[in-house]
mmCIF file with all atom_site columns, all heavy atoms in Angstrom:
data_model
loop_
_atom_site.group_PDB
_atom_site.id
_atom_site.type_symbol
_atom_site.label_atom_id
_atom_site.label_alt_id
_atom_site.label_comp_id
_atom_site.label_asym_id
_atom_site.label_entity_id
_atom_site.label_seq_id
_atom_site.pdbx_PDB_ins_code
_atom_site.Cartn_x
_atom_site.Cartn_y
_atom_site.Cartn_z
_atom_site.occupancy
_atom_site.B_iso_or_equiv
_atom_site.pdbx_formal_charge
_atom_site.auth_seq_id
_atom_site.auth_comp_id
_atom_site.auth_asym_id
_atom_site.auth_atom_id
_atom_site.pdbx_PDB_model_num
ATOM 1  N N   . SER A 1 40 ? -9.911  27.201 9.275  1.00 91.00 ? 40 SER A N   1
ATOM 2  C CA  . SER A 1 40 ? -9.881  28.433 10.059 1.00 91.00 ? 40 SER A CA  1
ATOM 3  C C   . SER A 1 40 ? -8.462  29.024 10.050 1.00 91.00 ? 40 SER A C   1
ATOM 4  O O   . SER A 1 40 ? -7.860  29.152 8.988  1.00 91.00 ? 40 SER A O   1
ATOM 5  C CB  . SER A 1 40 ? -10.389 28.153 11.475 1.00 91.00 ? 40 SER A CB  1
ATOM 6  O OG  . SER A 1 40 ? -10.788 29.347 12.112 1.00 91.00 ? 40 SER A OG  1
ATOM 7  N N   . ALA A 1 41 ? -7.907  29.380 11.207 1.00 91.00 ? 41 ALA A N   1
ATOM 8  C CA  . ALA A 1 41 ? -6.545  29.919 11.218 1.00 91.00 ? 41 ALA A CA  1
ATOM 9  C C   . ALA A 1 41 ? -5.558  28.916 10.637 1.00 91.00 ? 41 ALA A C   1
ATOM 10 O O   . ALA A 1 41 ? -4.539  29.295 10.034 1.00 91.00 ? 41 ALA A O   1
ATOM 11 C CB  . ALA A 1 41 ? -6.142  30.297 12.638 1.00 91.00 ? 41 ALA A CB  1
ATOM 12 N N   . GLY A 1 42 ? -5.846  27.627 10.793 1.00 94.00 ? 42 GLY A N   1
ATOM 13 C CA  . GLY A 1 42 ? -4.993  26.598 10.212 1.00 94.00 ? 42 GLY A CA  1
ATOM 14 C C   . GLY A 1 42 ? -4.989  26.628 8.698  1.00 94.00 ? 42 GLY A C   1
ATOM 15 O O   . GLY A 1 42 ? -4.017  26.180 8.065  1.00 94.00 ? 42 GLY A O   1
ATOM 16 N N   . ALA A 1 43 ? -6.051  27.171 8.093  1.00 96.00 ? 43 ALA A N   1
ATOM 17 C CA  . ALA A 1 43 ? -6.087  27.295 6.637  1.00 96.00 ? 43 ALA A CA  1
ATOM 18 C C   . ALA A 1 43 ? -5.063  28.311 6.155  1.00 96.00 ? 43 ALA A C   1
ATOM 19 O O   . ALA A 1 43 ? -4.495  28.170 5.065  1.00 96.00 ? 43 ALA A O   1
ATOM 20 C CB  . ALA A 1 43 ? -7.490  27.700 6.181  1.00 96.00 ? 43 ALA A CB  1
ATOM 21 N N   . ILE A 1 44 ? -4.810  29.344 6.961  1.00 96.00 ? 44 ILE A N   1
ATOM 22 C CA  . ILE A 1 44 ? -3.786  30.332 6.605  1.00 96.00 ? 44 ILE A CA  1
ATOM 23 C C   . ILE A 1 44 ? -2.418  29.658 6.549  1.00 96.00 ? 44 ILE A C   1
ATOM 24 O O   . ILE A 1 44 ? -1.654  29.810 5.585  1.00 96.00 ? 44 ILE A O   1
ATOM 25 C CB  . ILE A 1 44 ? -3.783  31.486 7.620  1.00 96.00 ? 44 ILE A CB  1
ATOM 26 C CG1 . ILE A 1 44 ? -5.128  32.214 7.606  1.00 96.00 ? 44 ILE A CG1 1
ATOM 27 C CG2 . ILE A 1 44 ? -2.636  32.458 7.327  1.00 96.00 ? 44 ILE A CG2 1
ATOM 28 C CD1 . ILE A 1 44 ? -5.262  33.267 8.686  1.00 96.00 ? 44 ILE A CD1 1
ATOM 29 N N   . ASN A 1 45 ? -2.103  28.887 7.594  1.00 97.00 ? 45 ASN A N   1
ATOM 30 C CA  . ASN A 1 45 ? -0.809  28.194 7.627  1.00 97.00 ? 45 ASN A CA  1
ATOM 31 C C   . ASN A 1 45 ? -0.701  27.153 6.520  1.00 97.00 ? 45 ASN A C   1
ATOM 32 O O   . ASN A 1 45 ? 0.350   27.006 5.884  1.00 97.00 ? 45 ASN A O   1
ATOM 33 C CB  . ASN A 1 45 ? -0.616  27.539 8.993  1.00 97.00 ? 45 ASN A CB  1
ATOM 34 C CG  . ASN A 1 45 ? -0.398  28.548 10.091 1.00 97.00 ? 45 ASN A CG  1
ATOM 35 O OD1 . ASN A 1 45 ? 0.113   29.640 9.853  1.00 97.00 ? 45 ASN A OD1 1
ATOM 36 N ND2 . ASN A 1 45 ? -0.778  28.193 11.313 1.00 97.00 ? 45 ASN A ND2 1
ATOM 37 N N   . ALA A 1 46 ? -1.781  26.414 6.295  1.00 98.00 ? 46 ALA A N   1
ATOM 38 C CA  . ALA A 1 46 ? -1.773  25.382 5.260  1.00 98.00 ? 46 ALA A CA  1
ATOM 39 C C   . ALA A 1 46 ? -1.562  25.998 3.880  1.00 98.00 ? 46 ALA A C   1
ATOM 40 O O   . ALA A 1 46 ? -0.773  25.490 3.071  1.00 98.00 ? 46 ALA A O   1
ATOM 41 C CB  . ALA A 1 46 ? -3.081  24.591 5.294  1.00 98.00 ? 46 ALA A CB  1
ATOM 42 N N   . ALA A 1 47 ? -2.250  27.113 3.608  1.00 98.00 ? 47 ALA A N   1
ATOM 43 C CA  . ALA A 1 47 ? -2.139  27.754 2.300  1.00 98.00 ? 47 ALA A CA  1
ATOM 44 C C   . ALA A 1 47 ? -0.730  28.302 2.082  1.00 98.00 ? 47 ALA A C   1
ATOM 45 O O   . ALA A 1 47 ? -0.158  28.172 0.986  1.00 98.00 ? 47 ALA A O   1
ATOM 46 C CB  . ALA A 1 47 ? -3.170  28.874 2.179  1.00 98.00 ? 47 ALA A CB  1
ATOM 47 N N   . TYR A 1 48 ? -0.165  28.904 3.114  1.00 98.00 ? 48 TYR A N   1
ATOM 48 C CA  . TYR A 1 48 ? 1.181   29.461 2.983  1.00 98.00 ? 48 TYR A CA  1
ATOM 49 C C   . TYR A 1 48 ? 2.201   28.335 2.776  1.00 98.00 ? 48 TYR A C   1
ATOM 50 O O   . TYR A 1 48 ? 3.057   28.415 1.882  1.00 98.00 ? 48 TYR A O   1
ATOM 51 C CB  . TYR A 1 48 ? 1.535   30.274 4.222  1.00 98.00 ? 48 TYR A CB  1
ATOM 52 C CG  . TYR A 1 48 ? 2.646   31.273 3.988  1.00 98.00 ? 48 TYR A CG  1
ATOM 53 C CD1 . TYR A 1 48 ? 2.372   32.628 3.873  1.00 98.00 ? 48 TYR A CD1 1
ATOM 54 C CD2 . TYR A 1 48 ? 3.965   30.859 3.862  1.00 98.00 ? 48 TYR A CD2 1
ATOM 55 C CE1 . TYR A 1 48 ? 3.386   33.547 3.639  1.00 98.00 ? 48 TYR A CE1 1
ATOM 56 C CE2 . TYR A 1 48 ? 4.979   31.765 3.625  1.00 98.00 ? 48 TYR A CE2 1
ATOM 57 C CZ  . TYR A 1 48 ? 4.682   33.105 3.523  1.00 98.00 ? 48 TYR A CZ  1
ATOM 58 O OH  . TYR A 1 48 ? 5.696   34.004 3.288  1.00 98.00 ? 48 TYR A OH  1
ATOM 59 N N   . PHE A 1 49 ? 2.106   27.284 3.572  1.00 98.00 ? 49 PHE A N   1
ATOM 60 C CA  . PHE A 1 49 ? 3.073   26.194 3.470  1.00 98.00 ? 49 PHE A CA  1
ATOM 61 C C   . PHE A 1 49 ? 2.925   25.445 2.148  1.00 98.00 ? 49 PHE A C   1
ATOM 62 O O   . PHE A 1 49 ? 3.920   25.011 1.566  1.00 98.00 ? 49 PHE A O   1
ATOM 63 C CB  . PHE A 1 49 ? 2.888   25.230 4.644  1.00 98.00 ? 49 PHE A CB  1
ATOM 64 C CG  . PHE A 1 49 ? 3.882   24.106 4.664  1.00 98.00 ? 49 PHE A CG  1
ATOM 65 C CD1 . PHE A 1 49 ? 5.236   24.351 4.839  1.00 98.00 ? 49 PHE A CD1 1
ATOM 66 C CD2 . PHE A 1 49 ? 3.469   22.793 4.509  1.00 98.00 ? 49 PHE A CD2 1
ATOM 67 C CE1 . PHE A 1 49 ? 6.157   23.316 4.845  1.00 98.00 ? 49 PHE A CE1 1
ATOM 68 C CE2 . PHE A 1 49 ? 4.384   21.748 4.524  1.00 98.00 ? 49 PHE A CE2 1
ATOM 69 C CZ  . PHE A 1 49 ? 5.731   22.012 4.692  1.00 98.00 ? 49 PHE A CZ  1
ATOM 70 N N   . ALA A 1 50 ? 1.693   25.310 1.655  1.00 98.00 ? 50 ALA A N   1
ATOM 71 C CA  . ALA A 1 50 ? 1.485   24.624 0.374  1.00 98.00 ? 50 ALA A CA  1
ATOM 72 C C   . ALA A 1 50 ? 2.180   25.358 -0.760 1.00 98.00 ? 50 ALA A C   1
ATOM 73 O O   . ALA A 1 50 ? 2.633   24.740 -1.725 1.00 98.00 ? 50 ALA A O   1
ATOM 74 C CB  . ALA A 1 50 ? -0.010  24.511 0.081  1.00 98.00 ? 50 ALA A CB  1
ATOM 75 N N   . GLY A 1 51 ? 2.300   26.678 -0.640 1.00 98.00 ? 51 GLY A N   1
ATOM 76 C CA  . GLY A 1 51 ? 2.967   27.452 -1.676 1.00 98.00 ? 51 GLY A CA  1
ATOM 77 C C   . GLY A 1 51 ? 4.471   27.497 -1.525 1.00 98.00 ? 51 GLY A C   1
ATOM 78 O O   . GLY A 1 51 ? 5.187   27.747 -2.498 1.00 98.00 ? 51 GLY A O   1
ATOM 79 N N   . ALA A 1 52 ? 4.967   27.247 -0.314 1.00 98.00 ? 52 ALA A N   1
ATOM 80 C CA  . ALA A 1 52 ? 6.412   27.309 -0.064 1.00 98.00 ? 52 ALA A CA  1
ATOM 81 C C   . ALA A 1 52 ? 6.782   26.262 0.986  1.00 98.00 ? 52 ALA A C   1
ATOM 82 O O   . ALA A 1 52 ? 7.104   26.594 2.127  1.00 98.00 ? 52 ALA A O   1
ATOM 83 C CB  . ALA A 1 52 ? 6.810   28.705 0.404  1.00 98.00 ? 52 ALA A CB  1
#
Side-chain angles (χ1 to χ4, degrees):
S40 199
I44 298 174
N45 290 332
Y48 201 105
F49 183 64

